[in-house]
Structures are given as C-alpha cells and as structure tokens.
C-alpha cells in the first residue's frame, strides 16, 4: 500500500522574508513558488527557497503545525530553521533543472 505524506514547510527570500505553508506535494508546491505560478505574498516577496520542512502522515497534523508556526514570533521561526539549516541553504537545490525553471508555454 502506498502511504501519502503531507508537509509543513517554510520558504524564504534571499533577504529572509518567510512564508509558511502546507502541502501534500512538496516538490510540486516548491516548484510553484520558484516559478511564481500563484500571485500573493510568496510571489511578491520572492519566497522561493525551501529552508525547512516537516513530514506528516495525517494532514490534520500538518495543518495544525502550519497554524502553530504562523502564530510564532519571528525569532522562534528563525531558531527552528537554524536548528537544522544554519546556513539557510535551499533544501530543494537539485530538484529541478534550469530548463524546468525557465520554461514558458508557447
């Protein structure tokens, strides 16, 4: 049997503006952030670097974690990121080719 996973994640801009979200398809959702496929905060502030995520089996737990993190003060969010990713590396590096990121429909 195939087990589905759900993710709570944080993407950041180069200047460390943060966006917190939840998804059932982390690679697909990060691709959307990188391509700015949806208008809104993450596109406006160029939040497209995956800096932190957690995996869940139960989508309700992922949603609850997302809400919890959104309620935290910024310093607590930064501490969470830096605990596992102190240099704020883009954890999705290597997931997509430059062709995929640059592609535009004809």
């Amino acid at each position: 049997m195939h087990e589905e996973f759900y993710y709570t994640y944080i993407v950041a801009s180069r200047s460390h503006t943060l966006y917190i979200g939840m998804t059932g398809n982390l690679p697909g959702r990060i691709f959307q952030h990188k391509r700015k496929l949806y208008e809104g905060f993450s596109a406006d502030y160029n939040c497209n670097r995956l800096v932190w995520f957690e995996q869940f089996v139960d989508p309700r737990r992922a949603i609850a974690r997302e809400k919890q993190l959104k309620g935290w003060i910024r310093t607590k969010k930064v501490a969470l990121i830096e605990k596992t990713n102190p240099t704020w590396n883009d954890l999705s590096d290597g997931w997509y080719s430059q062709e995929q990121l640059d592609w535009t429909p004809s």
Side-chain angles (χ1 to χ4, degrees), residues 85-105:
N85 188 4
T87 56
W88 292 64
N89 290 327
D90 183 352
L91 303 174
S92 69
D93 270 354
W95 289 8
Y96 319 100
S97 70
Q98 196 57 51
E99 280 183 347
Q100 289 173 304
L101 296 173
D102 292 342
W103 182 82
T104 54

Side-chain angles (χ1 to χ4, degrees), residues 8-12 18-20 49-52 69 80-81:
T8 303
Y9 66 91
I10 301 175
V11 288
L18 303 177
Y19 175 87
I20 298 169
R49 300 165 49 82
L50 179 65
V51 293
W52 178 91
L69 297 180
L80 177 68
I81 294 164

Side-chain angles (χ1 to χ4, degrees), residues 2 5 14 21-22 25 28 41 65 69 98:
H2 175 70
F5 295 105
R14 290 206 178 271
M22 177 270 176
N25 178 356
F41 182 90
R65 182 66 160 156
L69 297 180
Q98 196 57 51

